[in-house]
Amino acid sequence: MLLNNVCETFNVVIRDARDKPILTQMEWIRRIEWAARHYIEQVLRGDSYEVELNGDTVLVDLGKRTCTCYHWQLTGIPCVHGFACILDKRVDPEDFVDVYYTRDTYMYAYEEVVKPMPGPKHWEKNHLREPLPLTVRVIPRRPK
Ligand SMILES: [Zn+2]
């Protein structure tokens, strides 16, 4: 599930370039960085920024990891506005990506052993002809 979410989020971020050859994708990602470097940022207070591009203005809060474009809150990955502020502050962009994308969280999610399973002939029959409820393992957030 986590791997699927990571893939889907990555696909959303590179949506415009995902059907292109790998070198074209890398060039597209490089251009995002170029675009981020050419945003107009203005520090409001502390970690709060006002970011402007092409007449559109958004508010970024690095401390809260939010942007009024909501891309950051939806994906857990800084949007181009947030990325511009991160570059301005000269800090590591990876520190602003949600903890769900870390190797530690991935390892924690998959630390349980996958149990062996009998063949279909021995599976529990569903006489209701409706899907059985799923058993979901909730992964609590761990502090960084
Ligand atoms: Zn944004």
Side-chain angles (χ1 to χ4, degrees), residues 89-109:
K89 198 167 183 174
R90 298 175 194 266
V91 289
D92 187 357
E94 289 185 18
D95 292 341
F96 293 88
V97 176
D98 196 281
V99 70
Y100 276 113
Y101 298 105
T102 64
R103 182 181 184 278
D104 286 346
T105 302
Y106 179 86
M107 297 303 287
Y108 177 69

Side-chain angles (χ1 to χ4, degrees), residues 58 67 69 79 81-82:
V58 295
C67 178
C69 79
C79 59
H81 314 108

Side-chain angles (χ1 to χ4, degrees), residues 28-94:
W28 186 86
I29 291 170
R30 187 187 67 80
R31 287 182 184 182
I32 283 187
E33 183 174 345
W34 183 89
R37 289 186 189 281
H38 292 83
Y39 269 58
I40 299 170
E41 313 116 18
Q42 183 174 1
V43 181
L44 298 176
R45 185 185 312 158
D47 285 341
S48 299
Y49 289 80
E50 188 179 276
V51 181
E52 182 184 335
L53 180 70
N54 296 334
D56 188 24
T57 304
V58 295
L59 301 176
V60 172
D61 189 320
L62 289 181
K64 293 178 182 173
R65 299 176 181 201
T66 60
C67 178
T68 54
C69 79
Y70 294 104
H71 179 275
W72 199 346
Q73 295 93 310
L74 287 173
T75 64
I77 299 172
C79 59
V80 69
H81 314 108
F83 188 54
C85 300
I86 291 167
L87 292 176
D88 179 69
K89 198 167 183 174
R90 298 175 194 266
V91 289
D92 187 357
E94 289 185 18

